[in-house]
Amino acid sequence: MDEKKTSEKKSGAKDLDSLTPREIVAELDKYIVGQKKAKRAVAVALRNRMRRLKLEPEIREDIAPKNILMIGPTGVGKTEIARRLARLTGSPFIKVEATKYTEVGYVGRDVESMIRDLMAAGVQMVKQEMQESVTAEAEKRAEEALLDLLLPGTGKKRKEQKPQGEAVVRPVGTFSINPNNTGGAGPSLMGAAIQVGIPAFFSRSPDQEEPAGQAETETGEAENAEISGEEAARESSTREKFRAMLRKGKLEDRMVEITVSQTPQFPTIEMMGGGLEELESSLSGFANLFGGSKKKKLVTLGRAREILIAEESEKLIDRERVSDDARQRVEETGIVFIDEIDKIAVKGDRGGGGPDVSREGVQRDILPIVEGATVNTKWGPVNTDHILFIAAGAFNVSKPSDLIPELQGRFPLRVELDSLGKEDFLRILTEPKNALTKQYTGLLGTEGIEIEFAPDAVDRLAALAAEVNSRLENIGARRLHTIMEALLEELSFEAPDIAPKKIPITAAYVNEKLSDLVTDQDLGRYIL
């Protein structure tokens, strides 16, 4: 339990039990501006998961997650809400595009691959947490392996001296027995006669004299033991000196030769319909059967330490436990974000041919996954009954009602995200932890350029973004990225040559750098 809490703390995840819906919304507010309805919807859905786990098993199995359909233009935060939600709770998360899947019978990816990808993400997450819990032991083993590379032979255990009273077994000949007493005919049994010597300390009484030469032998062995002890002490002292140098980082650039295992890599194969997972599992089985090849590499000691720690961590974790824990986490807390679902909605009367046939087929294939099915993966079967699905789309051409009715019913919660205006852009540029102004300040700071955004400059940038969105396609907050790049393009190019320097970003500076954008009505020639 303590190891789990520690790993969650390291990964930035928080305990679901301690997160109320209000706290979830507050955490999302640190990175995403506005969209209160969507934040409240995902917060309630997440809290309901925690409530379900506290119920009796009979009731728990009947409570299905309330999947969410987000409707809103691009660049308003649909994907970011789902991604931040998963990162906040440490849940396995995968983002997929509905347009990349095809109906069974068409060339392309089948919809079940989204669950296999989610399971792969869960396995990687659990494996990383387990590796963090055994880091200390892995580093200790890697250190011993490095010392063995630097001082070959010092880490090997010396062979123990053979005990003087050990029994001796000697073959003295062979014999033959005919069990049927038929003379020379018939089958016979062959055997070997042996002589068992009784140890000297059992066969000799205290008053008996020692055999001749035994005293001299014991004297020689004592001298050899004394010499071996001195050599072992010297080797141990040398090993400890190298250990101290290793820990102080004095040998990081020394070149060493290590042997690494290489798993056979098979080419990527695209197949029609199902069967891809079975083929992948078979190829993985062949790889494990052959065990991979060994290859010697000449690397620095610092790089060798990383490789050895990774190998030792892999040996210390239980792979079966990784698969079991990952499967349980995916089934109970997994989140699948299906983007661009509006692109597979069939417009009008669902008639026509061409891609519409495949689009409706993809919807039919997605339906059983969302309703609850068992998908075979190379880590075992995964049940999707309690995986949370969040679908999103702009629906600027089609409508949610263009989806097949059965699929609409599997997304009972629908939230509409608002378009972003000047005030929203102003908050996006200043409030979030990862605000764009903070990002560019940090990036240019690495070159010795200190920039400071004045309030009037930020206000002008927000107004400009809103104006461009109103005249051209509304791409939401992504417009801020294009405007900021246009604003700081020249400065970013010249930064290494003019550093160190402090440059204030004012409204006049914004107007000067974006003068063409301000004066020219054909804004599309300059920004998207």
Side-chain angles (χ1 to χ4, degrees):
M1 182 64 72
D2 293 338
E3 290 180 357
K4 183 178 180 182
K5 289 182 179 178
T6 303
S7 62
E8 286 180 351
K9 187 175 181 180
K10 287 182 180 179
S11 62
K14 296 190 176 182
D15 187 9
L16 268 175
D17 224 7
S18 63
L19 281 174
T20 64
R22 194 178 303 278
E23 290 174 342
I24 295 172
V25 172
E27 289 291 332
L28 294 176
D29 284 340
K30 295 179 181 179
Y31 301 96
I32 304 157
V33 170
Q35 315 303 352
K36 292 293 183 183
K37 293 180 182 178
K39 292 176 183 175
R40 287 170 65 95
V42 297
V44 171
L46 198 65
R47 186 68 176 181
N48 281 337
R49 282 185 151 192
M50 185 271 295
R51 292 165 178 161
R52 186 186 73 85
L53 294 175
K54 293 182 177 180
L55 296 175
E56 296 296 328
E58 301 82 35
I59 306 177
R60 183 192 309 166
E61 293 302 319
D62 295 332
I63 298 179
K66 304 302 183 289
N67 298 321
I68 302 169
L69 177 62
M70 294 184 181
I71 305 169
T74 183
V76 297
K78 299 187 297 293
T79 304
E80 192 66 14
I81 287 175
R83 182 178 288 112
R84 291 289 175 182
L85 184 73
R87 190 175 301 176
L88 175 65
T89 59
S91 302
F93 173 81
I94 189 73
K95 174 185 178 294
V96 299
E97 286 78 29
T99 52
K100 72 192 298 183
Y101 299 107
T102 60
E103 181 182 0
V104 174
Y106 287 79
V107 176
R109 299 200 72 187
D110 61 291
V111 295
E112 289 186 351
S113 64
M114 71 174 69
I115 304 301
R116 294 193 284 267
D117 293 342
L118 180 65
M119 185 62 188
V123 168
Q124 183 63 30
M125 179 182 295
V126 173
K127 181 185 291 187
Q128 183 176 356
E129 292 176 1
M130 288 189 176
Q131 287 178 340
E132 289 175 357
S133 66
V134 298
T135 299
E137 179 63 24
E139 290 176 349
K140 181 180 177 182
R141 294 190 179 189
E143 183 181 82
E144 296 298 329
L146 289 175
L147 290 172
D148 290 341
L149 290 174
L150 294 171
L151 302 168
T154 60
K156 297 180 180 179
K157 294 183 178 179
R158 297 179 173 276
K159 294 183 179 180
E160 298 181 356
Q161 295 293 331
K162 190 175 181 180
Q164 294 296 325
E166 186 175 359
V168 179
V169 180
R170 298 190 183 95
V172 296
T174 59
F175 62 89
S176 174
I177 301 175
N178 191 333
N180 299 323
N181 295 323
T182 57
S188 63
L189 300 177
M190 296 295 294
I194 61 174
Q195 178 186 18
V196 180
I198 301 175
F201 56 80
F202 285 122
S203 62
R204 188 173 63 247
S205 61
D207 57 346
Q208 283 181 313
E209 296 182 0
E210 294 183 358
Q214 184 167 339
E216 290 82 354
T217 303
E218 291 180 353
T219 302
E221 290 176 350
E223 292 176 355
N224 291 335
E226 184 177 351
I227 295 174
S228 299
E230 292 176 358
E231 291 178 356
R234 279 197 304 270
E235 291 177 355
S236 177
S237 175
T238 304
R239 191 177 180 89
E240 292 305 317
K241 289 179 182 178
F242 271 81
R243 189 190 305 275
M245 295 171 67
L246 268 179
R247 293 178 178 178
K248 291 180 181 178
K250 295 182 178 180
L251 305 174
E252 294 299 297
D253 296 331
R254 176 172 293 195
M255 302 300 293
V256 294
E257 187 179 57
I258 63 173
T259 303
V260 295
S261 300
Q262 288 187 322
T263 303
Q265 298 294 325
F266 296 100
T268 303
I269 301 175
E270 293 292 339
M271 294 181 61
M272 273 196 313
L276 179 60
E277 184 64 29
E278 289 75 8
L279 178 62
E280 184 180 356
S281 299
S282 300
L283 294 178
S284 300
F286 278 117
N288 294 331
L289 180 63
F290 292 120
S293 59
K294 299 287 185 179
K295 181 181 179 181
K296 290 185 177 181
K297 296 178 65 176
L298 190 65
V299 295
T300 62
L301 192 140
R303 175 58 182 157
R305 179 186 287 106
E306 296 176 1
I307 296 173
L308 291 172
I309 289 177
E311 288 185 352
E312 294 298 333
S313 299
E314 189 73 22
K315 294 176 185 176
L316 288 170
I317 61 175
D318 185 353
R319 294 189 179 183
E320 291 186 3
R321 184 184 168 193
V322 168
S323 300
D324 293 341
D325 289 357
R327 183 163 57 250
Q328 181 180 2
R329 187 177 299 190
V330 165
E331 290 180 347
E332 298 294 341
T333 65
I335 299 175
V336 177
F337 183 80
I338 307 176
D339 202 7
E340 308 293 350
I341 198 169
D342 58 315
K343 303 300 188 296
I344 62 171
V346 183
K347 295 176 291 184
D349 57 355
R350 308 186 197 279
D356 288 348
V357 178
S358 179
R359 289 176 183 176
E360 189 165 340
V362 173
Q363 294 184 54
R364 288 194 300 267
D365 290 345
I366 290 178
L367 181 61
I369 302 295
V370 179
E371 283 183 336
T374 300
V375 178
N376 291 322
T377 71
K378 62 182 178 182
W379 298 280
V382 176
N383 189 279
T384 67
D385 285 340
H386 302 290
I387 293 176
L388 178 64
F389 290 88
I390 302 176
F395 289 100
N396 49 5
V397 177
S398 58
K399 304 183 296 295
S401 58
D402 291 331
L403 296 170
I404 61 176
E406 296 85 354
L407 190 59
Q408 293 182 47
R410 299 309 300 177
F411 291 91
L413 300 182
R414 297 186 185 181
V415 290
E416 293 190 18
L417 285 81
D418 304 321
S419 298
L420 302 177
K422 175 188 173 182
E423 295 302 320
D424 297 312
F425 290 144
L426 189 60
R427 294 179 59 194
I428 290 172
L429 286 170
T430 56
E431 291 183 10
K433 281 187 174 182
N434 58 343
L436 279 179
T437 52
K438 300 176 184 177
Q439 292 180 21
Y440 281 95
T441 301
L443 287 173
L444 291 174
T446 61
E447 300 277 7
I449 301 295
E450 183 181 352
I451 60 174
E452 183 177 352
F453 287 88
D456 59 343
V458 178
D459 186 82
R460 179 61 180 150
L461 288 171
L464 200 55
E467 181 182 353
V468 175
N469 273 346
S470 64
R471 295 189 181 188
L472 301 177
E473 289 293 332
N474 184 0
I475 61 173
R478 292 189 176 91
R479 185 71 66 185
L480 292 174
H481 289 272
T482 60
I483 288 182
M484 290 291 288
E485 281 294 327
L487 174 68
L488 300 174
E489 179 184 6
E490 182 179 349
L491 183 58
S492 298
F493 183 83
E494 297 177 352
D497 302 323
I498 63 176
K501 195 172 184 180
K502 182 176 182 179
I503 301 177
I505 306 296
T506 62
Y509 184 91
V510 173
N511 290 330
E512 177 188 352
K513 297 300 180 183
L514 302 177
S515 57
D516 293 335
L517 178 65
V518 174
T519 57
D520 201 308
Q521 296 298 318
D522 187 10
L523 303 178
R525 293 195 307 169
Y526 299 96
I527 294 199
L528 289 184

